[in-house]
């Protein structure tokens, strides 16, 4: 699918990994894809700017909702609070994949040189393709990534966009108008 991505969409996905690493997250979620879109400066960033959305505000929302990953976790300190780190690790790995809490490269586990995508992020990329095809686009651009994130509907990115009043219908209308121009 990535061969159909336009330069701005490719850059957004690459920046999503950078965002995950910078936040010490062991996964690329929809929130990181959203930050990547905003950082790319492409059509998706321009679409979101039209709704008054910028990277700084979204990054603050991501930290508020998800938090920053820790570079060193003390299991004994957590145990004094009644938190079983191994039980937490097991649940996180079920949700985000093996090694999601391991710290191999600046706080993130990379699989084959890349931080793994969450199931929701993968779904949003699939929906990006569907949105682009439905609009008759030949390639997948940053604005289609935004539509995919919105259409996925349950990820952190969709939550942030909904909190800021962005709906799939409103974004799709703006994209279709831009494509027609």
């Amino acid at each position: 699918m990535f061969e159909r991505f336009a330069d701005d969409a490719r850059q957004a996905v690459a920046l999503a990994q950078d965002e995950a690493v910078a936040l010490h997250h062991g996964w690329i979620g929809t929130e990181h894809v959203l930050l990547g879109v905003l950082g790319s400066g492409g059509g998706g960033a321009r679409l979101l700017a039209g709704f008054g959305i910028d990277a700084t505000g979204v990054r603050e929302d991501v930290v508020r909702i998800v938090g920053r990953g820790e570079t060193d976790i003390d299991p004994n300190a957590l145990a004094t609070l009644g938190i079983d780190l191994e039980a937490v690790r097991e649940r996180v790995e079920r949700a985000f994949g093996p090694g999601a809490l391991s710290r191999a490269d600046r706080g993130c586990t990379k699989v084959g040189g890349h931080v793994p995508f969450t199931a929701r992020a993968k779904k949003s990329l699939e929906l990006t393709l569907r949105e682009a095809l439905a609009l008759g686009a030949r390639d997948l651009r940053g604005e289609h990534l935004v539509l995919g994130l919105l259409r996925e509907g349950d990820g952190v990115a969709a939550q942030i966009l909904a909190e800021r009043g962005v709906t799939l219908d409103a974004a799709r209308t703006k994209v279709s108008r831009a494509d027609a121009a």
Side-chain angles (χ1 to χ4, degrees):
M1 173 183 6
F2 288 111
E3 64 275 358
R4 295 192 65 178
F5 276 45
D7 288 342
D8 71 324
R10 285 179 198 254
Q11 183 180 16
V13 172
L15 289 172
Q17 178 171 305
D18 293 345
E19 291 288 347
V21 169
L23 290 167
H24 301 286
H25 294 159
W27 68 91
I28 299 172
T30 60
E31 63 274 21
H32 305 109
V33 175
L34 178 57
L35 287 167
V37 167
L38 288 163
S40 74
R46 289 189 298 276
L47 171 65
L48 292 169
F51 288 102
I53 297 172
D54 62 35
T56 301
V58 169
R59 191 170 292 101
E60 290 170 359
D61 287 344
V62 169
V63 170
R64 174 180 53 84
I65 295 167
V66 180
R68 290 184 182 275
E70 297 295 327
T71 57
D72 58 345
I73 299 174
D74 182 352
N76 294 328
L78 292 174
T80 64
L81 300 170
I83 299 170
D84 180 351
L85 180 58
E86 286 310 309
V88 171
R89 185 179 310 279
E90 184 179 313
R91 288 184 67 194
V92 168
E93 287 184 351
R94 273 197 311 257
F96 299 114
L101 289 179
S102 299
R103 304 294 180 214
D105 180 33
R106 290 190 297 155
C108 281
T109 296
K110 291 187 176 187
V111 176
H114 299 285
V115 179
F117 286 89
T118 64
R120 289 188 198 284
K122 288 177 186 178
K123 182 68 174 179
S124 74
L125 294 176
E126 175 190 326
L127 294 171
T128 294
L129 174 62
R130 290 184 187 185
E131 287 293 328
L133 292 173
L135 291 168
R138 298 175 79 196
D139 55 0
L140 285 71
R141 301 184 309 270
E143 52 267 43
H144 301 125
L145 284 169
V146 173
L147 296 177
L149 291 167
L150 286 164
R151 186 167 166 190
E152 184 278 327
D154 292 322
V156 174
Q159 178 183 342
I160 289 169
L161 293 172
E163 286 174 359
R164 292 167 173 260
V166 181
T167 66
L168 176 59
D169 288 340
R172 193 182 285 142
T173 298
K174 286 187 177 198
V175 172
S176 64
R177 284 185 190 151
D179 283 349

